[in-house]
Amino acid sequence: RDENKLPQEILPPQQELEIYDESIAAMQPGDLIALARAAEENAFARDRRIQTTQDARCGVQINEVHFTNTILGYQTYRSTACWLAVGAIATEGGKMREGGYADRKRIFVDLETPERLGRRAADRALAKLGAAPIASTKAPVILENEAAGQFLNGLFGAFNGQSVVQQRSFIAGRL
């Protein structure tokens, strides 16, 4: 049907959703490399026990979406995202511990600075040095928001209907 077809000419975005940042769209590979290196250098500068990193990454994403259907006329919008991540490795007495930190935002000025991001990755690695097992016990647990999200993500997989039906979930047979 004609009303469902995309138009022949590409029109400019009709809605400004405040999820597009020209400064992200204008970034060049050299800009991204400089940000990743700055984050890594700040991890090294945090403590002499940070001698290496697992990785340092920076990237951008630029999207333009076009859609139409019988209810809505032709619509389009643009969005961007930028991310920065470092995995620092702390070494002490032959033991190595990794700690990472990452941030992703749609608007570049909202992204964590390379300085803070590098320090946080180093701090996480350093905090793991000297860790020792403890006896089993019942105790309250406080999780950082990223860890809480990963924990919940693991639980949500158990509620997948297909996994339950195929008996691949720990809640299979318990509902």
Side-chain angles (χ1 to χ4, degrees):
R1 297 177 25 189
D2 286 342
E3 65 267 17
N4 290 340
K5 291 183 180 175
L6 290 173
Q8 293 299 320
E9 74 177 270
I10 303 299
L11 302 172
Q14 297 172 338
Q15 298 181 28
E16 180 49 57
L17 302 176
E18 298 181 9
I19 56 174
Y20 183 83
D21 184 352
E22 290 287 346
S23 65
I24 290 176
M27 286 186 162
Q28 299 297 310
D31 302 325
L32 304 176
I33 292 167
L35 286 166
R37 282 189 177 152
E40 183 180 54
E41 288 167 5
N42 278 280
F44 291 144
R46 184 65 165 173
D47 191 284
R48 62 175 176 72
R49 294 172 290 176
I50 305 293
Q51 294 294 314
T52 189
T53 57
Q54 181 179 12
D55 62 358
R57 293 171 278 145
C58 186
V60 297
Q61 178 179 341
I62 303 164
N63 299 317
E64 189 167 329
V65 176
H66 299 260
F67 64 95
T68 188
N69 63 30
T70 55
I71 298 169
L72 296 171
Y74 174 73
Q75 300 286 309
T76 181
Y77 68 89
R78 299 182 304 172
S79 66
T80 55
C82 184
W83 60 90
L84 181 59
V86 175
I89 298 176
T91 306
E92 184 175 64
K95 299 209 185 233
M96 298 173 75
R97 299 292 182 258
E98 191 268 334
Y101 191 74
D103 194 25
R104 179 184 176 100
K105 296 288 189 280
R106 290 192 176 276
I107 307 299
F108 181 71
V109 297
D110 295 337
L111 189 70
E112 191 72 70
T113 66
E115 294 78 19
R116 290 187 57 174
L117 193 132
R119 286 194 307 263
R120 287 193 72 177
D123 288 345
R124 285 181 172 182
L126 293 164
K128 293 178 182 178
L129 289 175
I134 61 170
S136 294
T137 185
K138 286 188 175 186
V141 176
I142 300 171
L143 302 173
E144 285 192 50
N145 59 353
E146 293 92 0
Q150 290 173 348
F151 176 74
L152 291 174
N153 190 36
L155 287 178
F156 290 145
F159 293 101
N160 177 298
Q162 184 176 3
S163 295
V164 172
V165 168
Q166 294 175 346
Q167 302 294 306
R168 294 184 306 155
S169 168
F170 67 85
I171 63 169
R174 298 181 187 196
L175 298 176

